[in-house]
Amino acid sequence: MLFNLICNYSFGEFMRQTVDSFWQFTGFYNCEWTNLVMLAVGCFFVWLAIKKNFEPLLLVPIGFGMLIGNIPFQEGMEIGIYEPGSVLNILYNGVEKGWYPPLIFLGIGAMTDFSALLANPKLMIIGACAQFGIFGAYMLSLLCGFDPLSAGCVAIIGGADGPTAIFTTSKLNPDLLGAVAVSAYSYMALIPLIQPPIMRMLTSKEERLIKMKPARVVSQNEKILFPIVGVVLTCFVVPSGIPLLGMLFFGNLLRESGVTTRLAKTASNAMTDIITILLGLTVGASTQADKFLNLDTLKIFGLGFVAFIIASCAGVLSVKIFNLFLKKDKRINPLIGNAGVSAVPMAARISNNLGLEYDPSNYLLMHAMGPNVAGVIGSAVAAGVLLSFLG
């Protein structure tokens, strides 16, 4: 009888300890309110992507990554993105060490037609002016108490280019990667909400109705020479931009050479899709609540928004100033100024949609692609400048 009692007690104690130990490993036991906040944000991103169709190729991986990165767990299990040796940490290495962004730029180059820019080279100025958002945000970041390296990370959000923001931050201050990346991609996805009010506010009805002449036809030789001349000129000015600019122009040469079609298709489709999945998922997972929810993150989101506003305004206003020196029949529609930010082709589509809203026969898409692709180059050059004097 006594033996049975002892056995029953030992078994009962064993089961209690086992259940208690299991409970301590569950997410319910380790959950904090901050985890719930970030899980809600992740669900919101997925909802925006699926229900509102806001850049689903970006927001679905990022939003789901937030869910993965914010499921609570006990430290030491080697599953978290910041735990060395975990699968997520290995995949995150491409973000932390900055080798995902150049591969994305290779794909962008392979899928981008620079004809609109080559047909009207003065549109490059609009793309350059839009980069004022970066340098304006840099000064504001310093005033808000960020050190120079962190200020550079925040400022690059104004370029509206996620890969460029990630690459720059990985070199200057990797601790800010999650906040900067999510901020940059969030504002890129919200372009349809952010830019139209700015464009309406800064332009008159007469300006919105300006019709631009059809662009000239660009020869194949020009298209082939552009990436060669472009990489030499830009990288001589900012050698620190070689990883981004070199891959961008290389991808474009694959597209335009006419003899590397297979490579161009691979770079612009399968490879870009794979890297986008890995980049979005790991960026989302890097928003682990204990690393992400702090005052600096709020400052980064606020300053990133200001940078984006400055960039959009600078692009539109630069066209208005430009028009003061052009003949009436050669004026540029200021609605394409917003496309000077690097969000290709989202910003150009907004220019076109707003133009059609005021005149159903005024198609601005091809004209807007000029400053839009110039913005890609401009943001990479701006990143190279920041890395040159801060890196």
Side-chain angles (χ1 to χ4, degrees):
M1 184 71 177
L2 182 61
F3 176 75
N4 289 336
L5 288 173
I6 293 173
C7 288
N8 289 335
Y9 174 79
S10 299
F11 179 75
E13 181 66 17
F14 170 75
M15 288 300 298
R16 188 193 67 78
Q17 290 178 356
T18 300
V19 171
D20 187 57
S21 177
F22 173 77
W23 171 248
Q24 292 180 24
F25 276 96
T26 66
F28 298 104
Y29 178 84
N30 293 284
C31 187
E32 303 283 346
W33 68 268
T34 52
N35 297 114
L36 298 178
V37 170
M38 292 309 302
L39 288 172
V41 173
C43 290
F44 178 66
F45 272 46
V46 174
W47 178 80
L48 282 177
I50 296 174
K51 290 296 183 181
K52 298 297 182 180
N53 201 33
F54 284 175
E55 288 307 307
L57 297 183
L58 294 176
L59 291 192
V60 168
I62 291 175
F64 200 82
M66 287 181 172
L67 301 182
I68 291 175
N70 284 284
I71 293 175
F73 61 90
Q74 197 172 77
E75 291 187 13
M77 297 174 67
E78 291 191 359
I79 57 174
I81 196 166
Y82 294 108
E83 292 188 302
S86 71
V87 174
L88 283 175
N89 181 259
I90 293 170
L91 294 176
Y92 187 60
N93 190 261
V95 175
E96 202 169 29
K97 300 301 181 183
W99 54 268
Y100 284 157
L103 292 176
I104 292 287
F105 262 65
L106 174 62
I108 292 173
M111 68 177 72
T112 301
D113 184 356
F114 286 95
S115 295
L117 182 61
L118 293 173
N120 194 356
K122 61 178 175 286
L123 297 179
M124 176 69 79
I125 298 174
I126 302 173
C129 289
Q131 307 314 312
F132 282 127
I134 293 175
F135 299 103
Y138 178 74
M139 300 305 295
L140 288 174
S141 300
L142 292 176
L143 292 174
C144 288
F146 283 99
D147 63 85
L149 295 181
S150 299
C153 299
V154 177
I156 200 64
I157 297 172
D161 190 320
T164 301
I166 291 171
F167 181 80
T168 305
T169 305
S170 71
K171 301 300 180 185
L172 296 180
N173 188 350
D175 291 338
L176 300 180
L177 265 172
V180 169
V182 172
S183 177
Y185 279 119
S186 297
Y187 294 135
M188 285 172 62
L190 293 175
I191 277 179
L193 297 180
I194 297 173
Q195 286 195 330
I198 297 172
M199 297 159 70
R200 291 189 179 96
M201 180 182 68
L202 297 178
T203 58
S204 65
K205 185 176 180 180
E206 181 186 359
E207 288 174 323
R208 296 172 204 145
L209 295 174
I210 293 176
K211 285 193 174 183
M212 300 172 65
K213 292 182 177 180
R216 69 177 180 85
V217 178
V218 178
S219 70
Q220 190 62 28
N221 286 339
E222 288 178 278
K223 293 181 180 181
I224 293 173
L225 284 174
F226 175 72
I228 298 171
V229 175
V231 72
V232 172
L233 290 180
T234 56
C235 292
F236 261 73
V237 175
V238 281
S240 52
I242 289 175
L244 296 179
L245 292 165
M247 296 297 268
L248 175 72
F249 287 119
F250 173 52
N252 190 243
L253 183 61
L254 292 179
R255 170 194 171 95
E256 304 297 353
S257 67
V259 294
T260 53
T261 304
R262 283 176 54 192
L263 299 182
K265 285 183 177 179
T266 299
S268 61
N269 292 304
M271 190 201 72
T272 298
D273 290 343
I274 291 170
I275 300 300
T276 298
I277 291 170
L278 296 177
L279 179 65
L281 193 69
T282 52
V283 162
S286 71
T287 63
Q288 200 168 291
D290 59 338
K291 306 281 186 181
F292 190 80
L293 285 181
N294 53 56
L295 182 59
D296 280 347
T297 297
L298 294 177
K299 287 183 180 179
I300 288 169
F301 269 79
L303 290 168
F305 182 74
V306 172
F308 196 80
I309 296 295
I310 294 173
S312 300
C313 290
V316 175
L317 292 174
S318 67
V319 178
K320 291 168 70 74
I321 295 171
F322 212 176
N323 281 342
L324 297 175
F325 304 94
L326 296 175
K327 294 180 180 180
K328 189 173 181 179
D329 63 330
K330 294 185 178 180
R331 288 186 304 167
I332 300 171
N333 192 314
L335 291 180
I336 73 170
N338 74 294
V341 299
S342 180
V344 178
M346 294 175 286
R349 286 202 298 261
I350 297 300
S351 303
N352 186 62
N353 292 343
L354 211 57
L356 291 174
E357 183 180 319
Y358 291 94
D359 181 354
S361 65
N362 194 10
Y363 293 91
L364 296 173
L365 183 60
M366 291 311 298
H367 299 292
M369 284 303 297
N372 208 187
V373 297
V376 176
I377 300 172
S379 65
V381 170
V385 171
L386 289 174
L387 291 172
S388 295
F389 70 84
L390 292 176

